Structures are given as structure tokens and as C-alpha cells.
Amino acid sequence: MEDRGISQAVIGRLPRYFRYLGELKDTGVERISSQELSELMKVTASQIRQDLNNFGGFGQQGYGYNVEYLYREIGKILGLDQKHHFIIIGAGNLGRALGNYTNFEKRGFIFSGMFDQNPKLIGMKVRNISVQPMENMERFIRENDIDIAVLAIPKNGAEEVAQKLVRNGIKAIWNFAHVDLNVPKDIQVENVHLSDSLMKLSYNISRYQQENG
Ligand code: NAI
């Protein structure tokens, strides 16, 4: 399937399609028109058609989209047909919350290890995973086919940890540390800043108040 050169904006919308289609599939819906999907997702039908045309369509005139097929194909585009093993660095509030979220497994992301520099946290269990000291991390990555690392530590130290991750073959970093990491181009980094989302919400509250008095 041709998905090179697809804009990040389209890629960014795919998880939402995937989520909605998954829900439709689970409730037994077999097919849906772009119009119906548009009403459900509150995006225009033309946006849906344009987005999905990037990947060769999937729809048929007069039939709409086959939900199961579209769900599966978008899953493939997102790489969700493969399993990814991930570790979490930082067993604080955020790291534990992420480790405790069981739904990642349903998407093929397998929580495999957790590391922290605080000796008091070593051996603590998050689900069935024991927190290990940082000294174990590099070997663990190499021996357990780990491809994603979640950085749930403060920005001081994040860069140093990232370099170790890269040296040991990590392919991607889900970065919650508030710092832009300096890693080679072939390492995929997704920066997450929950406060950015909150600021957007704040902006929308102010705008709504201004417009509606
Ligand atoms: P926390 O203080 O509860 O946990 C941080 C943990 O990281 C501690 O257990 C500490 O021992 C460990 N740690 C610190 N430096 C380390 C290093 N170099 N190597 C290994 N372990 C190390 O903090 P919390 O609430 O879990 O947040 C973690 C970080 O994530 C904070 O820096 C916070 O600013 C950031 N954060 C980012 C968010 C985002 O949306 N990007 C949202 C919430 C927190």
C-alpha cells in the first residue's frame, strides 16, 4: 500500500478513524457511507474521502466503506498489526499511570519493563512488572527486543538516557520530558505535552466567553 509522502496532518487523524471504526465494528456495523461517518465523527465527508484517498480509497461508490476492512487497513498503515514492546523510564506518577493503562496492549503495545534511578522504587510492581535499576536498562533493551521507550522523567537527565536508548537499538521514543531530544533521524520521537492541550482548552474557553458574552 502506498503511504509515502502522506502529510503528518492526515497521519494524525488516522488514530481517530481507527477508534471510531473499532467501535462501529464492535457494535456489529458492517458498512458505512462517508456521509454517515462524517456525521458521527463531525468532520466533513469530503475530508474523509480525501484522507482515505491518500491510501487508495477503500470505499466503493454506492456501497460506502466496509468497516472491518477499513479498520484493518488503517491498523496496518499505523503499524498496529505488529507488536511493539515498550519500556518506561521513570516510575513516578506519570510512569506508573502509563504502565497501569491496560488498553495499550489491545493495540499491540506490550509493556515489558520499567526503570528508575531511585533505589527506593526498585522492586515495586506496576501490574506484573518490577521496577529495575537504570544499570539494567541497556542490557534489558538488547535482550528483550524492545523497540519503544517511554520517557517519563524530568528534562534533566532525559538527553543522557535518550543517548543510551539509541545506542542500544531503540527505534522510537515517546517523550514526556519537557525537552527536545537530540537523536539521529532514524529514531522516531513523539513529544507529548499534556499542558499544550490544556492551553488549547484554555484558549477555547476564553474565545467562547468572548463570543457568547
Ligand atoms: P515524579 O517525580 O512522580 O516521577 C519522576 C520519576 O523519574 C522519579 O521516580 C525519579 O526517580 C525518576 N527519575 C528522574 N530522573 C531520572 C533519570 N535520569 N533516570 C531514571 N529515572 C529518573 O514525576 P511525574 O509526575 O511522574 O512526571 C515525570 C516527568 O514528566 C516530570 O518531569 C514532568 O514534568 C513530566 N510530565 C510531562 C507531562 C507531559 O505531558 N509531557 C505530563 C506530566 C508530567
Side-chain angles (χ1 to χ4, degrees), residues 19 26 33 37-38 41 70 73 116 128 135-136 141 180:
R19 199 155 34 83
D26 291 346
S33 66
L37 196 54
S38 143
M41 294 183 62
L70 188 53
E73 291 303 309
D116 201 288
N128 54 341
E135 299 79 75
N136 292 7
I141 294 170
D180 290 326

Side-chain angles (χ1 to χ4, degrees), residues 90-94 116-118 121 134 152-154 176 178 192-194:
N93 292 311
L94 179 62
D116 201 288
Q117 68 176 16
N118 181 351
L121 299 179
M134 289 303 286
I153 56 176
F176 287 82
H178 294 297
V192 183
H193 299 295
L194 296 180

